[in-house]
Amino acid sequence: MKKSKIIAVAGLALLTSGLLAACSGSKSNSTEKKFGYVYAGDPETLDYVTSGKATTSDLVTNGVDGLLENDKYGNLVPSMAKSWTVSKDGLTYTYKLRKDAKWYTSEGEEYAEVKAQDFVTGLKHAADKKSEALYLVQNSIKGLDAYVNGQTKDFSTVGVKAVDDYTVQYTLNQPEPYWNSKTTSAILWPVNAEFLKSKGDKFGQSTNPSSILYNGPFLMKAITAKSAVEYVKNNNYWDKDNVNVDSIKLAYYDGQDQDSLARNFKDGAYTYARLFPASSNFATFEKDFKDNIYTSEAGAGTAVLGLNIDRQTYNHTAKKTDEQKNSTKKALLNKDFRQALNFALDRDSYAAQVNGKDGAAKAIRNMFVPSDFVQVGEKSFSDVVEEKLASYGDDWKGVKLADSQNGLYNPDKAKAKFAKAKGALQAQGVQFPIHIDVPVIETSKNFVARIQSMKQSIEKVLGKENVVMDLNMMSEDDVMNITYYAPNAASEDWDLSGIVGWTPDYQDPSTYLDILKSTSSDNTKTWFGFDSGSENAGAKAVGLDEYNKLVDEAGAETTDIAKRYEKYAAAQAWLTDSSLILPTMASTGAATFVSRIEPFSGPFAQTGSKGSSTYFKYIKVGNDAVTKKDYEAAKKKWQKEKAESNKKAQDKLADHVKKYNL
């Protein structure tokens, strides 16, 4: 699941807005630029095309480039592809590769040219290994679904081919105006066939930088679990003039000492630091940093609380009896009960644990899809969802879903919904209170505070005699193994999880909503606790078949974009009404920072793996702290330039359309 991905939001994900960077010796006069960062989760693998997790793509993105990348204004620009064209029917994309791109080992030794066949090899490897990120392209590329499902063993029937050494071509099942944005996601990145064969099962070993090749701006030199990841500039990189730092060190950060970031910035070690207004030490930092504190805009990632509708394992539980287990199961299958939780969750208090009382609202998210992710004509996406949602009943009339407001919190509605649920559940023999197991990483103070806030608001509104949120304090490894890294649904040992969130892969609502279909490979276990592809009783009980239908209908609309977005708004409305996942806040951005990084010098992207959050090409590091005034001025200038640049890029799209069918 990608990135765009499924992200672990217990630690760093909610702490970054783009860059949380450190620059060792940034104040020195040395010409060598040393750039640092903190990372929050060790990767299970470095095999970037088979993993769907941000813990992999966030680390590999600096070493491996795909066909396109993002510039500072969010435009898609050449990377491995120097140019591209699309057929008039929108089904065939042809990319001409640059001839100066090479593969290198982690030691910087040239291995081979990057050729068109490498993109074919990469996709075949993803299909053969049943990549977690297949959902992104399986139904997009002609013949891929049939190959993945074993209807054919001939990969040449799949719509990707090397026309020649420097031309790769993709054929789609239907037009996707956002197709190019998918090329920034790891599943479409190249793999050298000879190297892959030589490594066999050892390709992409999680702590072995030499187990993959590099064609990007940096070479990974070392990775030590729960310690550090180190890179050096690839001096042979085709675009090395746009790589402004010579080395990178990512230090492992578990969130236990959140104020360490600010302290290190104050000492001159870090050039970028996340501040926590809710921290008891914030007043001190506020005095120290004065006019250098600024707040970033909310990013596209969404953090959620997931509900397990088919829990099978109880190795980590506060429940004492089978009766309690069965009661919780029945309660979570009841929509009124889930809606009661949704209305009882005080998102303002939840976000305040990160951003403080004054900055909480900026981070609040009421829908899985950000409210302004796309425009539907003159309306925002949330405007249309609100219209659709009103048809589900009076409870939803007048509910405001736009970001940055506590639009869902309503104790009266929560109590009414619970009363209705309680009557129905008691008729089924359910006994109260309902005990809900919530795994919590005990070392992450910020995460603990958020979950405690959730517990307090729900129990206060619904009453502890009715609902008890049992916070199971565990080590990070234990929590991650039963949530984020759980190998199957049977290992998802929780009732409610605040561990995961989602960042989008491409610029279309489907990037959020498709992953929650009951047929979505590997995703259902993480979000809902059941394995996809089965006739799961819980999935049927909560009506996911209806959701599947709505999402499929939206996806089938490929000609009228406004109508397409309206249909996805209908799917989001169903999801909101179902309350199967409870959005809480933006998982990136809407945060408080101090920085010595030149504002808006890095690439910008709401989607994919080539945005400034994790991709350090273009980033410029200065010596002096950025003032709030300078940041706001730079933002205003960037926004104006971005609008102009985006329009020019949009106007030039017609130049890429072939005047004949390929």
Side-chain angles (χ1 to χ4, degrees), residues 37 46 77 112 167 245 289 292 309 336 379 381 398 420 425-426 437-438 489 536 544 553 583 587 624-625:
Y37 190 60
L46 296 181
V77 295
T167 307
V245 294
F289 302 139
N292 298 119
I309 60 173
D336 290 314
K379 299 178 180 178
F381 189 71
K420 185 178 178 182
L425 291 169
Q426 285 179 325
D437 286 318
V438 187
N536 184 268
L544 276 172
E553 287 178 353
S587 60
D624 299 322

Side-chain angles (χ1 to χ4, degrees), residues 20-96:
L20 180 57
C23 183
S24 176
S26 64
K27 291 185 174 181
S28 77
N29 293 320
S30 172
T31 58
E32 183 182 9
K33 289 290 185 179
K34 296 181 179 181
F35 189 86
Y37 190 60
V38 289
Y39 78 104
D42 291 321
E44 290 180 306
T45 178
L46 296 181
D47 188 344
Y48 45 93
V49 299
T50 64
S51 174
K53 296 182 173 64
T55 45
T56 294
S57 60
D58 283 354
L59 296 185
V60 178
T61 188
N62 286 292
V64 182
D65 283 348
L67 292 165
L68 304 173
E69 64 183 32
N70 299 95
D71 67 11
K72 66 184 293 183
Y73 304 117
N75 302 310
L76 289 166
V77 295
S79 184
M80 291 299 98
K82 65 179 183 178
S83 64
W84 64 276
T85 55
V86 59
S87 59
K88 287 180 67 176
D89 60 8
L91 297 180
T92 304
Y93 284 76
T94 303
Y95 301 88
K96 293 289 185 180

Side-chain angles (χ1 to χ4, degrees), residues 317-318 436-441 447-456 459 468-474 496:
T317 183
I436 297 177
D437 286 318
V438 187
V440 183
I441 299 174
F447 183 60
V448 171
R450 294 198 308 272
I451 299 302
Q452 286 177 335
S453 170
M454 177 272 299
K455 171 182 172 68
Q456 183 178 18
E459 290 183 349
V468 176
M469 312 300 292
D470 291 313
L471 308 190
N472 299 324
M473 300 293 179
M474 294 181 268
L496 182 149

Side-chain angles (χ1 to χ4, degrees), residues 236-417:
N236 295 307
Y237 182 55
W238 71 273
D239 196 25
K240 63 182 180 181
D241 290 345
N242 281 313
V243 183
N244 301 310
V245 294
D246 299 293
S247 64
I248 300 169
K249 184 174 182 179
L250 311 183
Y252 181 75
Y253 176 72
D254 64 3
Q256 188 168 359
D257 185 4
Q258 59 187 24
D259 292 333
S260 65
L261 305 172
R263 291 198 302 271
N264 281 310
F265 180 88
K266 183 180 178 181
D267 293 341
Y270 285 11
T271 56
Y272 196 90
R274 172 73 168 89
L275 303 181
F276 299 90
S279 166
S280 59
N281 295 319
F282 181 69
T284 300
F285 295 132
E286 200 173 23
K287 186 181 297 183
D288 291 334
F289 302 139
K290 300 178 182 175
D291 297 332
N292 298 119
I293 299 173
Y294 66 88
T295 302
S296 66
E297 300 304 303
T302 300
V304 307
L305 301 175
L307 299 175
N308 192 335
I309 60 173
D310 190 27
R311 185 175 178 182
Q312 302 171 51
T313 302
Y314 295 87
N315 294 324
H316 300 84
T317 183
K319 295 180 176 62
K320 305 297 185 183
T321 65
D322 288 342
E323 185 178 67
Q324 289 182 344
K325 297 174 185 177
N326 292 329
S327 291
T328 301
K329 270 193 169 184
K330 291 177 180 179
L332 291 177
L333 291 176
N334 183 288
K335 185 168 73 171
D336 290 314
F337 180 84
R338 299 193 306 270
Q339 289 180 344
L341 297 178
N342 206 359
F343 287 129
L345 175 62
D346 185 350
R347 289 165 175 80
D348 188 67
S349 175
Y350 191 92
Q353 310 310 311
V354 182
N355 284 4
K357 184 178 180 180
D358 293 339
K362 195 167 187 176
I364 293 174
R365 183 148 292 160
N366 297 299
M367 302 190 304
F368 194 42
V369 182
S371 60
D372 60 352
F373 187 66
V374 295
Q375 288 288 119
V376 188
E378 298 297 317
K379 299 178 180 178
S380 70
F381 189 71
S382 62
D383 289 338
V384 183
V385 176
E386 289 172 8
E387 294 171 2
K388 303 288 186 182
L389 190 59
S391 67
Y392 283 88
D394 292 342
D395 289 326
W396 295 112
K397 292 179 179 178
V399 171
K400 300 300 181 182
L401 298 176
D403 294 343
S404 304
Q405 60 183 318
N406 206 10
L408 289 172
Y409 180 59
N410 191 311
D412 291 337
K413 288 182 180 180
K415 291 174 182 178
K417 284 293 182 180

